[in-house]
Amino acid sequence: MRTTLDPDMFDPVCPSGLSPIRVGDKWAGMVVRCLEDGPRRFSELRVPLRGVTAKALTKSLRLLERDGLVERVVRAGATAYALTPLGRSLLAPMDAACAWARDHWDELLDAREASA
């Protein structure tokens, strides 16, 4: 049995407009991350994405589905969302982008403050 999603799996500043690297819309990268370990129901996704409205999450899931990154599956009689092989192929580049952002976060902050 899969573990539940950690409500604190994302930094409180996520999603951040500071990051110059983004997948899809504001929430898409975090949705992909939530689906990394297997299908999740809509209500499960809302746990770590507590800042997202139901409307925004629905829109994000539809856009990911349209782009072939996520698919709807029936799991235990309920609809769930899962990464497609194309969506799964996005995980390694996302890992690299996250590592880059962590390494350069202070520089990004300094540049934004200098231009404000």
Side-chain angles (χ1 to χ4, degrees), residues 28-83:
M30 289 187 289
V31 169
V32 168
R33 215 28 104 189
C34 288
L35 298 175
E36 185 173 11
D37 293 329
R40 299 286 180 171
R41 292 171 49 183
F42 188 88
S43 59
E44 290 178 279
L45 295 172
R46 298 277 317 264
V47 173
L49 303 175
R50 48 185 177 267
V52 69
T53 64
K55 182 179 178 180
L57 181 55
T58 297
K59 180 181 177 186
S60 187
L61 285 164
R62 285 182 181 157
L63 290 172
L64 288 165
E65 197 174 2
R66 179 203 68 194
D67 292 340
L69 302 173
V70 168
E71 63 186 350
R72 279 185 276 179
V73 296
V74 176
R75 190 185 94 189
T79 300
Y81 298 88
L83 291 177

